[in-house]
Amino acid sequence: MRLALYQPEIAGNVGAILRLAACFATPVDIIMPCGFAFSDARLKRAAMDYGKAADVVKHANFSDFREDCVAKGRRIVLLSSHASSPLPDTRFLNDDVLLMGSEGAGVPDDVRDIADLRVRIPMAAGFRSLNIAVSAGIALSEALRQTGQYPQ
C-alpha cells in the first residue's frame, strides 16, 4: 500500500501525511510540483520528528508517477469527493496506491480518467469534503484493515 499526493499545495497537510505514513509504515509518492518549498518549516513542524522516518519518493510529474505504477503493477485509486464509489464498498489490493488530489483543485480530468478506481468517503448531507490529511488517514486505515497490512 502507498499514498500519493498530486501537486500538494499546503506544507502542513503534507507534513501531517508524512507523519501518518511513518506511523503506518506506508511509503508516500509526491507528484511535483508542490505549492511550497519542500524545506518549508510548516512541513517540518507538522511532520515533527516522524517526517525523517517517512519513505518518500518524488516524481517530476504525473507521467513519471504513472509509468512507475504501471511498471510495478500497482492500481491507482483516486480519492475524490466527486467519485461515485463509496469507500466502504471498495475492495483494496495489497499494492494499491491511494492518490490524493491537490487541496485546491483536486486532479485534472485526464488524471481522474486514468485512475483504476475512483473512491469517495461518504459524509453527512450538506458537507463537501474533509481535510486531505484526514481523508488520507481514513482511506489508508480502511485499505490497511482490508489487506491485513496494519503494522504489528
Side-chain angles (χ1 to χ4, degrees):
M1 197 66 56
R2 301 179 73 85
L3 287 170
L5 307 179
Y6 180 86
Q7 300 180 356
E9 300 168 341
I10 301 173
N13 286 337
V14 174
I17 290 169
L18 293 182
R19 184 176 181 174
L20 169 75
C23 289
F24 287 100
T26 301
V28 178
D29 294 286
I30 298 183
I31 303 159
M32 304 300 277
C34 288
F36 57 91
F38 216 76
S39 60
D40 192 301
R42 292 168 293 187
L43 180 134
K44 292 178 180 167
R45 190 176 318 114
M48 299 175 61
D49 56 337
Y50 293 82
K52 296 174 191 149
D55 178 1
V56 178
V57 176
K58 293 181 193 172
H59 302 272
N61 53 48
F62 183 76
S63 293
D64 287 354
F65 165 75
R66 182 170 185 244
E67 285 176 24
D68 187 58
C69 288
V70 169
K72 294 176 178 161
R74 294 184 175 133
R75 293 191 312 177
I76 297 173
V77 179
L78 175 64
L79 274 287
S80 170
S81 59
H82 304 292
S84 58
S85 218
L87 179 67
D89 295 345
T90 302
R91 295 297 155 241
F92 292 97
L93 303 177
N94 288 350
D95 290 334
D96 282 346
V97 181
L98 308 180
L99 175 62
M100 315 297 293
S102 70
E103 293 91 332
V107 298
D109 291 347
D110 61 324
V111 170
R112 183 200 64 225
D113 293 344
I114 287 170
D116 297 293
L117 295 171
R118 288 169 291 286
V119 176
R120 70 176 167 78
I121 298 170
M123 294 180 286
F127 296 95
R128 292 189 315 275
S129 64
L130 295 162
N131 171 278
I132 189 173
V134 172
S135 296
I138 292 168
L140 179 61
S141 180
E142 176 62 12
L144 293 176
R145 183 194 68 77
Q146 282 188 24
T147 59
Q149 294 183 70
Y150 261 107
Q152 297 299 318

